[in-house]
Amino acid sequence: MLLPKTKAIKSRKHLEFVVSFRCVLRGLSPCFGDVQAHHLLKPYYGHRGVGMRASDNNTVPLCFKHHADLHKHGNEDNYWQSMNLGKEFGRTTAKKLWELFQEEQNGK
């Protein structure tokens, strides 16, 4: 099935905004390392292909440990559920962060 083309969103400012937050899994298990912007494997906006990362608006803040754990786990939705979160957690969080970022940008 072919998916409709969506324009990739690239925003260094948004990535900096995302990493200004604490790891979204802080408190659920110990964090380690700096916060990184994790590009969702299953984005809420657009799609990703083989060897492609999701648009920058599809990111959540994860510490190095949780970011590595998620990629080792492989299935993002199952990873969120293993942390006692809903499978939509990543998409919902990324969307809220993008909306908050847009509000800040429009308010300046």
Side-chain angles (χ1 to χ4, degrees):
M1 176 176 100
L2 293 176
L3 297 172
K5 281 221 176 226
T6 53
K7 185 174 177 170
I9 295 174
K10 299 292 178 197
S11 173
R12 166 87 39 215
K13 285 184 180 181
H14 179 63
L15 295 177
E16 291 170 357
F17 175 77
V18 169
V19 300
S20 72
F21 288 89
R22 293 179 171 173
C23 174
V24 294
L25 300 178
R26 186 173 186 260
L28 298 175
S29 75
C31 287
F32 178 78
D34 293 334
V35 171
Q36 304 171 338
H38 165 66
H39 287 80
L40 297 177
L41 304 174
K42 296 179 180 181
Y44 76 87
Y45 168 84
H47 57 278
R48 56 184 290 272
V50 176
M52 296 172 56
R53 70 171 41 159
S55 291
D56 290 343
N57 62 325
N58 285 289
T59 54
V60 295
L62 290 176
C63 68
F64 175 82
K65 176 191 177 297
H66 289 128
H67 198 182
D69 287 349
L70 186 149
H71 282 283
K72 191 183 324 179
H73 193 275
N75 185 311
E76 190 171 71
D77 290 346
N78 288 348
Y79 182 73
W80 302 130
Q81 289 179 310
S82 75
M83 301 298 281
N84 295 317
L85 302 165
K87 71 178 188 176
E88 294 293 322
F89 175 77
R91 289 181 285 278
T92 303
T93 303
K95 187 173 184 184
K96 285 179 184 173
L97 285 171
W98 178 248
E99 290 167 354
L100 183 60
F101 173 73
Q102 292 294 104
E103 287 174 17
E104 270 196 22
Q105 293 301 298
N106 292 332
K108 287 185 178 179

